[in-house]
């Protein structure tokens, strides 16, 4: 009799043990694992065992196979049965969480099924703090992916208040920081400032697990640094960036404690330590790019990409691909400035390949891809293609700062073409730095003044050009925007040269050359060396004129060779792609098709 009572537990544990053995084998034997779990139902198990087995089968099928229909069937049964069983929260809410995730992954996705499921789970989980918070985060994330940031912010606000009531200041801070991130995305700066102030106080006052505390500080500082960089305040951000870098060094010395928090609502991690390190590298790259420290940007990008390659061998988290794409986007801009167009083009192709693997990644980065191709087209003097790429990017973006960046570069294309006056003036009205500039970015407003100065220079209105360029210099010096400073100085030098004021021209071009060498900006170096050659000739400095001529020749040769290499790559055909998903293959070019005149 005793053996009969023990029998169900014995067979269940045996089947479960076999299933786990097959699942964790190397390589995993998923078919055998599924067979063992399915065998459980042959014994007509009690409801608790039945529901848990449906959950286990659904989880294994979802994570290890492509049989999403069968996974969905098991998870729906687990959710249905578990709701009828009292005090069975873990199975109930894990089934709801996993099932809603599966709904969103299916093609076509069933988001409209996921939302009510999560709402019901949230409604009945209020006595289970961990699951209530986790499900709120999940539904907020779903709304965020749908670009419904208002609903997402509302849910995060509900989560923050719930966490406060159940005495979890740590999770309250996570909810508030997540809300702050969304408010930054929406550009609701008036709401961001008080929220970040509150978060700063909570983070500093919270006493708990050191790694959790430091991870909160990293999250808080990342938002602060991003806020400054979005506003183009490259100099003002330095103290925050330094704190962030010190914080990540502190985290790397701390050991992961296995001690679980006493409050179940505290059982969350923002990001693993290794992911945080990559993120700090990323924001450092973003700062270095805006400040014009391109060698530093390259160094940190290389470090971050190496770290990402190691992480991706063990971790399939989508955020790693997002980090990789953002890093590549920044290093591509860097290569175009430093005169490595062929490498930049191959990296653009790499971004295309990453986007082909993830439709969501492509949706989020299509506008940036076309913008990068537009910048590449400018660098190889394919102005018609540049216009087409920027126009495609404008069609795809809703991001205000990116829109202003694209419009600024498209205006520069029209200025160079010299025959697009109506389109040019229409664009310039929309980015007028003197009146209702559309974004709060200090850097973009300074760039808009530079574009005005460039147009006035080409039109021969030199006094007006000087006014715009001095405004650019004032703004770029205030925030250490080195590249804009170098561009403004060399253009001012050119204006003074045209006006016959050679001494003043020299006073502009020499520091422009020094700064361009430090960045290094190959185009400004080419421009500066040409001016120095002519200036020294005019001033009778034969030796200096010869040195400048030699420099100009060297820069010309380097740019010419890189130009030919880039245009000969099969990836050069990407400049013709302006619609739909990125092309998978490229036909080889017979030779460069773009004009070399601008380089000579």
């Amino acid at each position: 009799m005793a053996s009969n009572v023990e029998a169900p537990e014995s067979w269940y544990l045996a089947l479960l043990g076999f299933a786990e053995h097959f699942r964790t084998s190397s390589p995993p034997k998923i078919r055998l694992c599924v067979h063992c779990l399915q065998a459980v139902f042959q014994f007509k198990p009690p409801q608790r065992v039945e529901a848990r087995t449906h959950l286990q089968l659904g989880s294994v099928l979802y994570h290890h196979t492509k049989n999403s229909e069968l996974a969905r069937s098991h998870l729906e049964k687990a959710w249905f049965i578990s709701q009828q069983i009292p005090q069975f929260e873990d199975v109930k809410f894990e089934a709801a969480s996993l099932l809603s995730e599966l709904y969103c992954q299916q093609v076509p996705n069933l988001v409209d099924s996921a939302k009510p499921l999560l709402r019901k789970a949230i409604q009945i989980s209020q006595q289970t703090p961990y699951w209530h918070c986790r499900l709120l985060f999940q539904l907020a994330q779903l709304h965020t992916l749908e670009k419904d940031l208002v609903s997402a912010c509302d849910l995060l606000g509900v989560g923050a208040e719930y966490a406060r009531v159940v005495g979890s200041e740590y999770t309250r801070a996570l909810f508030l920081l997540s809300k702050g991130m969304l408010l930054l995305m929406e550009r609701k700066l008036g709401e961001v400032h008080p929220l970040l102030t509150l978060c700063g106080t909570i983070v500093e006052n919270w006493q708990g697990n050191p790694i959790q505390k430091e991870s909160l500080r990293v999250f808080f500082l990342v938002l602060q640094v991003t806020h400054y960089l979005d506003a183009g305040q490259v100099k003002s951000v330095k103290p925050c960036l330094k704190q962030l870098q010190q914080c990540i060094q502190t985290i790397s010395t701390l050991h992961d404690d296995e001690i679980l928090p006493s409050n179940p609502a505290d059982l969350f991690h923002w990001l693993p330590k290794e992911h945080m390190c990559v993120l700090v590298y990323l924001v450092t790259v973003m700062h270095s790019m805006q400040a014009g420290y391109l060698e530093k940007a390259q160094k940190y990008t290389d470090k971050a990409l190496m770290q990402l390659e190691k992480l991706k061998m063990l971790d399939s988290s989508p955020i790693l691909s997002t980090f990789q794409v953002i890093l590549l986007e920044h290093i591509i801009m860097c290569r175009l400035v430093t005169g490595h167009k062929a490498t930049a083009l191959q990296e653009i192709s790499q971004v295309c390949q990453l986007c082909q693997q993830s439709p969501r990644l492509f949706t989020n980065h299509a506008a940036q891809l076309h913008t990068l191709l537009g910048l590449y087209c400018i660098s190889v003097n394919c102005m018609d293609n540049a216009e087409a790429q920027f126009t495609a990017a404008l069609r795809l973006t809703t991001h205000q700062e990116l829109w202003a960046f694209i419009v600024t570069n498209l205006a520069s294309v029209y200025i160079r073409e010299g025959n697009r006056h109506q389109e040019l003036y229409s664009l310039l009205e929309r980015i007028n730095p003197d009146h209702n500039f559309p974004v709060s970015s200090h850097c973009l407003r300074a760039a808009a003044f530079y574009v005005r100065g460039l147009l006035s220079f080409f039109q021969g209105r030199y006094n007006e050009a000087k006014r715009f360029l001095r405004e650019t210099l004032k703004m770029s010096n205030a925030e250490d925007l080195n590249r804009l400073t170098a561009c403004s100085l060399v253009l001012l030098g050119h204006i003074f040269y045209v006006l016959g004021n050679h001494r003043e021209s020299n006073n502009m071009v020499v520091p422009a050359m020094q700064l361009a060498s430090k960045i290094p900006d190959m185009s400004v170096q080419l421009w500066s060396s040409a001016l120095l050659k002519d200036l020294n000739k005019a001033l009778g400095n034969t030796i200096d004129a010869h040195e400048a001529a030699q420099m100009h020749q060297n820069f010309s040769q380097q740019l010419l060779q890189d130009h030919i290499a880039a245009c000969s790559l099969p990836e050069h055909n990407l400049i013709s792609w302006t619609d739909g998903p990125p092309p998978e293959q490229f036909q080889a070019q017979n030779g460069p098709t773009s004009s070399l005149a601008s380089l000579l």
Side-chain angles (χ1 to χ4, degrees), residues 137 156 159-160 163 168-181 199 202-203 212 215-216 219 223 265-271:
F137 274 125
L156 293 169
S168 173
E169 287 296 282
Y170 168 75
T171 301
R172 181 188 177 202
L174 278 181
F175 274 115
L176 290 172
L177 288 166
S178 301
K179 184 177 179 179
M181 181 170 64
C199 289
I202 295 171
V203 171
Q212 284 184 309
S215 73
L216 281 181
F219 196 171
L223 289 189
D266 286 345
L267 284 165
F268 293 97
H269 282 290
W270 174 49
L271 281 176

Side-chain angles (χ1 to χ4, degrees), residues 345 373 376-377 380 382 385-386 388-389 571-578 593-594:
L345 186 56
L373 281 166
Y376 167 75
C377 290
V380 291
C382 296
N385 295 99
Q389 291 297 338
E571 290 87 350
H572 182 73
N573 283 304
L574 274 170
I575 67 173
S576 304
W577 163 62
T578 55
T593 58
S594 54

Side-chain angles (χ1 to χ4, degrees), residues 110 294 335 421:
L110 302 169
L294 300 194
R335 308 264 196 232
H421 304 299

Side-chain angles (χ1 to χ4, degrees), residues 254-310:
L254 294 172
H255 296 291
D256 290 313
D257 291 331
E258 294 300 324
I259 304 166
L260 292 176
S262 56
N263 189 334
D266 286 345
L267 284 165
F268 293 97
H269 282 290
W270 174 49
L271 281 176
K273 280 197 299 188
E274 297 78 12
H275 292 202
M276 280 190 266
C277 287
V278 174
L279 184 57
V280 173
Y281 284 144
L282 175 55
V283 294
T284 305
V285 168
M286 289 164 69
H287 173 259
S288 302
M289 281 294 299
Q290 281 200 31
Y293 305 132
L294 300 194
E295 287 182 340
K296 183 179 177 183
Q298 287 183 353
K299 184 182 83 172
Y300 277 101
T301 301
D302 290 342
K303 280 186 177 183
L305 289 173
M306 281 174 61
Q307 178 89 341
L308 277 171
E309 285 303 317
K310 290 177 188 172

Side-chain angles (χ1 to χ4, degrees), residues 99-118:
L99 182 55
S100 63
E101 194 179 308
L102 184 147
Y103 282 153
C104 295
Q105 297 290 334
Q106 287 202 298
V107 180
N109 74 47
L110 302 169
V111 172
D112 290 337
S113 299
K115 286 179 193 171
L117 169 61
L118 284 172

